[in-house]
Amino acid sequence: MSIDFLSNLYVCEIPFVTVYNAEKTDYPMKNNGRYHCGMLYTVNGSEIYRFSDGTVRTQPDSVLVIPKNEEYIIEFEGEKGLVITVDFEIPDDVLFRPFVVKFEKNNAVRRIFSDMEKEWRKKAIDSAVLNKSNLYRIASFLVRRMNTYSTSVNMKKIHMATEYLHANCLERDFRIETLSKMCSVSRRYFEKMFFDVHNMSPKEYMINYKLSLAKELLLSERSSVTYIAERLGYSDIYHFSKAFKNRVGYSPTEFKRIFCEGGN
């Protein structure tokens, strides 16, 4: 779906290109509806975007593509970050869901994003045309990168393991070793493959996934924090609350009050 969208991309306009310096104190941040579609290149830092139908995580050298009118909450990991954002318009009848593509360091896409921001500031007579051309170039790199991932044997193995983790990580007898056995590789090699795809260890991914479930439960259910901690496999509410606050920036109770009760 994402590859089809990019392969048939038609850009009507690029309203603006900007560089955003992220500060931890600005988060969590809520967007009640994006004015334009966006392509966001993360230079430094890491963010978690929580959409209505799922969560994506950005890391350095990743490109996040977000549709117009999308609502989401952003949480920040780290102290500071730098993101180059390209806002663009496409025909109203073209629909897609948010997705992220990870690149290696020192990639050509970063340079194109930087060139677009410089061109935007120049506002020369041909800047609009050049930036449309550059956006199509970025789209071609995204398509090639996604196609390489989708046909990779290792990528397919990690996708299978990730789906299994999503479905079974709340089971009491769940072990990371189960995932490496599924992929028929050693645990060490599995962790390397997993990190190449997700930019984090399987254990860290599982913690983040559990906490994303915790946020959904806090917002959608009237369950107690103690019940949610037990449901997610934490031995006690203290360890759950500590892990939650370290990554989200709020305690579970504060998070529920702010985002579920409107801060009242």
Side-chain angles (χ1 to χ4, degrees):
M1 182 65 178
S2 301
I3 291 180
D4 290 341
F5 160 69
L6 293 168
S7 298
N8 297 285
L9 181 65
Y10 176 77
V11 180
C12 303
E13 180 188 3
I14 299 178
F16 63 88
V17 184
T18 187
V19 174
Y20 177 68
N21 289 289
E23 298 281 350
K24 187 174 183 179
T25 53
D26 297 331
Y27 295 80
M29 184 185 300
K30 186 173 183 180
N31 192 318
N32 292 317
R34 230 180 180 284
Y35 292 124
H36 312 286
C37 299
M39 278 193 189
L40 290 72
Y41 187 96
T42 300
V43 179
N44 295 313
S46 179
E47 295 175 316
I48 298 174
Y49 287 73
R50 185 160 62 82
F51 301 98
S52 60
D53 58 350
T55 300
V56 299
R57 181 177 185 267
T58 64
Q59 310 103 36
D61 304 305
S62 67
V63 177
L64 172 63
V65 187
I66 309 177
K68 184 177 181 178
N69 299 321
E70 191 72 18
E71 297 183 21
Y72 49 89
I73 294 174
I74 315 173
E75 286 121 26
F76 186 69
E77 296 181 326
E79 296 299 325
K80 293 185 178 182
L82 181 67
V83 179
I84 305 174
T85 301
V86 177
D87 275 41
F88 63 99
E89 285 289 337
I90 59 176
D92 291 337
D93 60 346
V94 178
L95 303 176
F96 68 96
R97 297 304 304 140
F99 61 93
V100 65
V101 181
K102 181 72 170 66
F103 287 90
E104 304 296 334
K105 292 182 179 180
N106 302 317
N107 62 81
V109 174
R110 175 175 176 173
R111 185 176 65 253
I112 299 173
F113 270 91
S114 296
D115 289 345
M116 290 186 71
E117 194 274 330
K118 292 175 184 176
E119 198 63 49
W120 171 258
R121 286 190 284 108
K122 281 171 55 178
K123 296 191 180 299
I125 190 170
D126 59 346
S127 291
V129 175
L130 286 172
N131 271 345
K132 278 190 179 182
S133 174
N134 279 328
L135 194 61
Y136 286 124
R137 290 176 64 202
I138 292 171
S140 71
F141 276 104
L142 292 174
V143 168
R144 277 180 277 174
R145 185 69 173 174
M146 294 169 74
N147 186 60
T148 299
Y149 268 14
S150 64
T151 57
S152 164
V153 174
N154 285 352
M155 182 62 183
K156 291 177 180 178
K157 287 182 178 181
I158 294 302
H159 176 73
M160 177 182 66
T162 303
E163 291 297 311
Y164 184 88
L165 184 151
H166 289 172
N168 297 278
C169 69
L170 300 185
E171 300 295 329
R172 291 187 179 277
D173 60 348
F174 180 81
R175 296 288 185 274
I176 297 297
E177 290 85 349
T178 303
L179 303 179
S180 59
K181 289 178 181 178
M182 285 177 59
C183 297
S184 301
V185 296
S186 68
R187 173 164 178 163
R188 183 175 180 180
Y189 187 66
F190 170 77
E191 289 177 341
K192 180 183 181 304
M193 289 196 305
F194 196 97
F195 192 91
D196 288 343
V197 173
H198 294 294
N199 202 38
M200 67 180 79
S201 68
K203 182 178 180 180
E204 187 69 14
Y205 184 95
M206 184 170 67
I207 292 172
N208 286 340
Y209 180 70
K210 282 186 175 183
L211 293 180
S212 70
L213 293 178
K215 286 182 282 187
E216 293 176 9
L217 291 172
L218 287 166
L219 293 176
S220 63
E221 295 188 2
R222 296 185 178 275
S223 306
S224 68
V225 175
T226 299
Y227 170 78
I228 293 174
E230 292 176 351
R231 184 171 175 182
L232 297 180
Y234 284 88
S235 57
D236 57 61
I237 190 172
Y238 171 77
H239 287 98
F240 168 64
S241 297
K242 183 178 180 181
F244 192 95
K245 188 165 186 176
N246 283 344
R247 287 168 173 78
V248 179
Y250 294 102
S251 71
T253 302
E254 290 170 335
F255 180 86
K256 188 168 186 177
R257 176 174 57 80
I258 293 171
F259 294 104
C260 189
E261 301 172 8
N264 298 321

